[in-house]
Amino acid sequence: MGKTKYVVVTGGVVSGLGKGVTASSIGVVLKACGLRVTSIKIDPYINTDAGTMSPFEHGEVFVLDDGGEVDLDLGNYERFLDITLTRDNNITTGKIYQSVIERERRGDYLGKTVQVVPHITTAIQDWIERVAQVSVDGSGESADVCVIELGGTVGDIESMPFIEALRQFQFRVGQENFCLVHVSLVPVLGVVGEQKTKPTQHSVRELRALGLMPNLLACRSAEPLEPSTREKLSQFCHVPVANVLNLHDVKNIWHIPLLLLEQCAHLSILKQFQIQPPEPQLQEWAHRAKGWDELTETVSIAMVGKYTGLSDSYLSVLKALQHASMACGRKLILEWVASSDLEDAAKQESPDLYNEAWAALKRADGVLVPGGFGDRGVEGKILAANYARTNRIPYLGICLGMQIAVIEYARNVLGYKDASSTEFDPASPHPCIVFMPEVSTTHMGGTMRLGARDTFFHATDCLSAKLYGAISSVSERHRHRYEVNPDMIGEFEAAGLQFVGRDESGRRMEILEIPSHPYFVAVQYHPEFKSRPGRPSPVFQGLILAASGQLQSHLISH
């Protein structure tokens, strides 16, 4: 197609408007037009990556095949576009400054005063152009269109170098290869009941003052925009009426690409790029969005974690459950259970929360214990694993959730009442979870066992292998510092806990099962990161199948 085209998505008025979903949805519509699409997320924070940030601070940390710990929006890009990104697709202030300082120390700028303009801004532009050429769809060919999301809100002091870099970039690549979509809020004041355009007007004015002119407006609102509101926005924001898009609240986010398609967003973008577009093919996507809305039979899963106050902390797990539920024809009901509320201490301090947590756990059809760090709520997770195992309730443990299952088994089956992980009790006389020898004990960022690793099935007739399609190995993404103590494996297996998946050495445990249980599966890796709409993670699908009474019929038919 010639030169790469760039769609830049910025945000105004407030954060949390859904720029990531908007950017992903734009990519879906352009991909449906037959274009190859890649994505870049710019995060203006100084952290080198998202790896050391609390989920409460910034939502989940998404892990890529190459071990990159990145913003959760890259998870949206991968799921929506079905692509495989790299750590370089997430640009941060920390990465840019680090690369410029390294070049300065090397002498690349010898004799120059290194400044934000031009050195930092040029480094940003170079990074964008370099990453846009990397194939992300397995074809080996570079993308036709790169969708770039600028995190934060226009006017934030930390994003100024990126705004200036993008201002320069539009001239570097040419106006016919650059399209700016500005996401803004159109609120309704309760007393008046009128859609207010002034916040968007001010946001666009600030953007224009910084040298960037939006080609399209994507207006977030609770209800569809009135025609008069569109016209007013067009008039005051210097954007054609046809380019004022409305992204109102919908039943599920799979409707957003369809909203863009209905409003011919692809025509406006491709007109800017001077491309004659074919008709987008989104029939499968439309079928999925409609199908999710029409599900009636329910399946309930108890999510037992420590970050339940913020659903973005477990975003990929939630999406993987949705993908699996859709494939099984069930409407997902999620029971959020704060693991600390299951503990005996909560019974004394907060009896209402304690009773509510146990009631939620007991009314669920299945139990999921996701990954996490630190000792808060660990005893509650162990109680949840024990409840699922002894009551034959389908259980899926992920990362820490697998380690929890091992500790519970050591305590209540092997009889080691003081069994624990060295993460929580370094002096435990029965450490069934231990620190991995190759991991750094002094540095926290980027030092875990990260990225895609192969897991080999040691029993081809096991439940997990059947769910994966009777293959000998599977590649999944990891993020952990601790592992099952290899010296205790024989003892566990003799007592009925089978480690059916291991790494290439055979000494690192990856998948465990209890063959006598309807569905008790736990994995050291994070299967949620590779789950896709229409292609759910097998172990998540197994949980939903077991919880809805469909597992045996599925295994027979497949």
Side-chain angles (χ1 to χ4, degrees):
M1 192 184 71
K3 293 186 70 173
T4 305
K5 313 293 184 182
Y6 297 90
V7 178
V8 175
V9 179
T10 59
V13 185
V14 292
S15 60
L17 283 178
K19 292 190 302 297
V21 173
T22 304
S24 302
S25 300
I26 289 170
V28 168
V29 177
L30 294 178
K31 186 176 179 181
C33 291
L35 299 171
R36 284 197 172 85
V37 181
T38 186
S39 290
I40 293 174
K41 172 69 188 293
I42 296 174
D43 283 304
Y45 49 68
I46 296 174
N47 303 59
T48 303
D49 59 31
T52 56
M53 288 193 283
S54 164
F56 281 129
E57 187 86 14
H58 212 70
E60 75 168 5
V61 176
F62 191 81
V63 178
L64 302 170
D65 269 3
D66 67 358
E69 296 174 286
V70 296
D71 184 83
L72 58 82
D73 279 320
L74 274 80
N76 276 327
Y77 306 156
E78 286 206 343
R79 285 186 289 269
F80 269 59
L81 299 170
D82 197 12
I83 54 179
T84 303
L85 300 173
T86 70
R87 68 180 75 221
D88 286 348
N89 289 84
N90 193 189
I91 304 175
T92 69
T93 297
K95 285 181 182 177
I96 294 295
Y97 274 78
Q98 191 173 50
S99 69
V100 170
I101 290 168
E102 284 174 359
R103 291 184 65 187
E104 186 274 330
R105 293 289 83 188
R106 208 165 53 227
D108 292 8
Y109 307 116
L110 214 52
K112 296 281 197 304
T113 302
V114 181
Q115 297 174 293
V116 173
V117 181
H119 301 100
I120 295 294
T121 53
T122 300
I124 293 166
Q125 295 173 73
D126 290 346
W127 192 302
I128 289 171
E129 284 201 315
R130 173 174 58 83
V131 173
Q133 301 307 310
V134 177
S135 176
V136 294
D137 61 1
S139 68
E141 297 185 36
S142 59
D144 301 313
V145 180
C146 177
V147 181
I148 303 166
E149 179 195 347
L150 175 60
T153 307
V154 170
D156 294 347
I157 191 168
E158 58 263 32
S159 64
M160 287 301 178
F162 294 102
I163 292 279
E164 172 58 21
L166 291 169
R167 185 195 67 78
Q168 297 172 19
F169 193 62
Q170 65 186 324
F171 303 112
R172 175 165 165 169
V173 299
Q175 295 283 1
E176 72 282 2
N177 298 313
F178 187 92
C179 181
L180 179 61
V181 181
H182 188 59
V183 183
S184 186
L185 177 68
V186 179
V188 172
L189 296 185
V191 179
V192 184
E194 178 190 359
Q195 293 176 335
K196 291 295 184 182
T197 64
K198 195 64 74 177
T200 300
Q201 290 180 44
H202 283 294
S203 179
V204 170
R205 183 185 300 166
E206 184 154 15
L207 194 60
R208 290 172 68 185
L210 295 167
L212 286 170
M213 180 83 74
N215 300 100
L216 292 87
L217 289 180
C219 301
R220 289 284 290 110
S221 60
E223 300 294 332
L225 285 186
E226 302 290 341
S228 59
T229 306
R230 281 179 185 265
E231 289 168 9
K232 193 172 182 180
L233 285 166
S234 169
Q235 186 176 10
F236 285 96
C237 298
H238 202 64
V239 173
V241 174
N243 291 8
V244 179
L245 310 174
N246 180 211
L247 303 179
H248 55 77
D249 292 350
V250 289
K251 291 181 180 178
N252 70 70
I253 61 170
W254 290 333
H255 283 287
I256 301 298
L258 304 177
L259 267 182
L260 293 173
L261 185 64
E262 286 170 18
Q263 298 171 77
C264 298
H266 59 295
L267 297 179
S268 298
I269 293 169
L270 297 179
K271 182 180 178 183
Q272 173 68 17
F273 292 152
Q274 300 174 10
I275 297 174
Q276 289 296 322
E279 191 62 32
Q281 302 300 314
L282 275 177
Q283 293 87 342
E284 185 182 344
W285 194 276
H287 177 74
R288 186 180 300 124
K290 186 181 178 185
W292 179 257
D293 293 339
E294 293 175 347
L295 293 174
T296 53
E297 284 191 73
T298 61
V299 61
S300 62
I301 300 296
M303 177 99 83
V304 184
K306 63 185 285 190
Y307 308 117
T308 52
L310 180 68
S311 61
D312 272 1
S313 301
Y314 299 115
L315 185 65
S316 290
V317 176
L318 176 57
K319 297 303 178 188
L321 284 170
Q322 290 176 349
H323 301 160
S325 300
M326 182 76 181
C328 298
R330 293 294 184 272
K331 183 178 181 179
L332 177 67
I333 296 175
L334 204 57
E335 301 279 3
W336 293 96
V337 180
S339 55
S340 54
D341 290 344
L342 296 170
E343 297 172 359
D344 290 340
K347 191 175 184 178
Q348 308 300 323
E349 298 165 9
S350 311
D352 289 346
L353 290 176
Y354 174 84
N355 292 329
E356 194 178 311
W358 274 103
L361 183 66
K362 289 180 178 179
R363 66 174 171 259
D365 301 314
V367 177
L368 192 154
V369 177
F373 297 90
D375 58 1
R376 183 173 65 84
V378 162
E379 293 302 323
K381 293 176 184 178
I382 292 171
L383 289 168
N386 176 259
Y387 168 78
R389 181 180 62 81
T390 55
N391 290 278
R392 298 176 65 77
I393 304 296
Y395 175 91
L396 175 61
I398 297 171
C399 197
L400 177 61
M402 170 174 165
Q403 298 171 7
I404 290 294
V406 170
I407 296 169
E408 189 279 325
Y409 210 85
R411 289 182 182 180
N412 299 311
V413 178
L414 298 185
Y416 300 139
K417 296 300 180 185
D418 49 7
S420 189
S421 164
T422 55
E423 180 180 5
F424 316 129
D425 182 7
S428 171
H430 295 100
C432 47
I433 307 296
V434 295
F435 198 80
M436 291 189 294
E438 72 270 29
V439 173
S440 170
T441 57
T442 57
H443 285 65
M444 299 296 284
T447 57
M448 288 183 274
R449 183 170 179 249
L450 292 163
R453 310 290 179 108
D454 288 335
T455 293
F456 296 87
F457 291 105
H458 279 231
T460 52
D461 61 341
C462 67
L463 180 55
S464 303
K466 290 176 183 175
L467 288 168
Y468 273 102
I471 53 179
S472 60
S473 67
V474 61
S475 175
E476 295 279 10
R477 298 175 184 178
H478 293 69
R479 186 176 185 248
H480 64 113
R481 286 191 178 89
Y482 293 83
E483 63 174 330
V484 181
N485 188 343
D487 296 334
M488 294 182 70
I489 301 307
E491 207 172 346
F492 278 118
E493 296 208 317
L497 189 68
Q498 300 299 306
F499 292 94
V500 298
R502 308 185 183 192
D503 76 344
E504 66 279 359
S505 72
R507 283 183 56 79
R508 184 158 286 156
M509 304 303 116
E510 296 279 10
I511 308 174
L512 68 78
E513 293 179 7
I514 300 177
S516 59
H517 192 284
Y519 190 83
F520 196 97
V521 175
V523 294
Q524 184 58 71
Y525 50 80
H526 287 266
E528 68 270 24
F529 293 142
K530 284 196 169 184
S531 181
R532 300 285 183 267
R535 201 169 69 251
S537 163
V539 289
F540 275 90
Q541 189 170 4
L543 174 68
I544 300 298
L545 286 167
S548 58
Q550 303 179 76
L551 181 59
Q552 291 309 314
S553 59
H554 173 85
L555 292 174
I556 292 168
S557 63
H558 289 72

